[in-house]
Amino acid sequence: MGRNFRYFLAITFIFCVSSTCRASDYISRDHIVIDLRFGIEWLRCTVGQVWDGSTCIGEPVKLNQEEIANAILQANEQLGGSWRLPTLEELKGLVCEECERPKISKKYFPQTASEPYWTSDVNRAAKRHMWSVNFFTGHTYARFFPFQQLAFRLVRDRR
């Protein structure tokens, strides 16, 4: 990695910690969005949708945590890599407070549903519940049971 690129990443990280993150924190490559803050790659579309070269088409699929485990296996077979559910911190990082609903960058994540999305994090205070991020409000919630069905987006670590 070049010195200038590392410097750019350091500046981006400092900027995000001190203020709301901006679209400059992302690089899009076809159906993938690179998140420079976290060093991860997002599928641009919600699972169930397909990237057609300019937007996401189709309807999001809502699954429970057990069904998502199977969907992740399929994604890893079909797309390669180690796809997973995002952590609460990673998914919350996509929230765009100044955006109209849905509260996410439409440029990088078009056709995102204005509803709760799963994270991989369990609520430590109530272990029967999982954390989610609601793109209607931009708020996080730790009240959904793993058997409930929510929309979700997949992420993988950059190598």
Side-chain angles (χ1 to χ4, degrees):
M1 203 179 335
R3 190 172 132 203
N4 288 340
F5 185 70
R6 279 191 296 247
Y7 180 73
F8 173 74
L9 286 178
I11 294 298
T12 300
F13 178 74
I14 291 167
F15 176 73
C16 288
V17 169
S18 63
S19 68
T20 302
C21 293
R22 308 256 183 251
S24 61
D25 300 325
Y26 306 112
I27 298 171
S28 60
R29 293 198 176 134
D30 197 29
H31 67 287
I32 302 289
V33 174
I34 300 167
D35 187 326
L36 299 172
R37 291 168 295 152
F38 292 104
I40 55 179
E41 295 178 335
W42 294 94
L43 282 181
R44 199 165 197 171
C45 301
T46 302
V47 173
Q49 298 176 316
V50 177
W51 179 250
D52 74 354
S54 62
T55 194
C56 298
I57 57 172
E59 293 298 317
V61 172
K62 295 180 185 180
L63 299 178
N64 64 39
Q65 290 284 324
E66 185 177 319
E67 294 166 332
I68 288 171
N70 291 327
I72 289 172
L73 290 174
Q74 289 179 359
N76 290 336
E77 288 174 8
Q78 294 173 10
L79 302 172
S82 298
W83 294 97
R84 60 180 173 79
L85 279 178
T87 65
L88 175 61
E89 181 183 17
E90 290 167 341
L91 192 59
K92 190 168 67 170
L94 295 183
V95 171
C96 172
E97 294 294 337
E98 58 273 352
C99 293
E100 295 293 322
R101 290 182 180 117
K103 296 289 199 176
I104 192 169
S105 171
K106 291 158 198 66
K107 175 181 177 183
Y108 293 101
F109 303 100
Q111 305 303 320
T112 297
S114 294
E115 60 188 66
Y117 277 64
W118 281 121
T119 75
S120 61
D121 290 348
V122 174
N123 179 348
R124 291 186 204 182
K127 296 192 184 298
R128 300 178 317 159
H129 297 98
M130 303 288 296
W131 281 96
S132 67
V133 174
N134 189 327
F135 288 104
F136 182 79
T137 62
H139 298 147
T140 60
Y141 299 97
R143 63 180 180 209
F144 289 102
F145 292 101
F147 61 80
Q148 291 181 273
Q149 296 181 323
L150 299 179
F152 63 104
R153 170 172 265 118
L154 295 179
V155 66
R156 69 179 172 191
D157 298 313
R158 287 192 45 116
R159 303 218 180 223

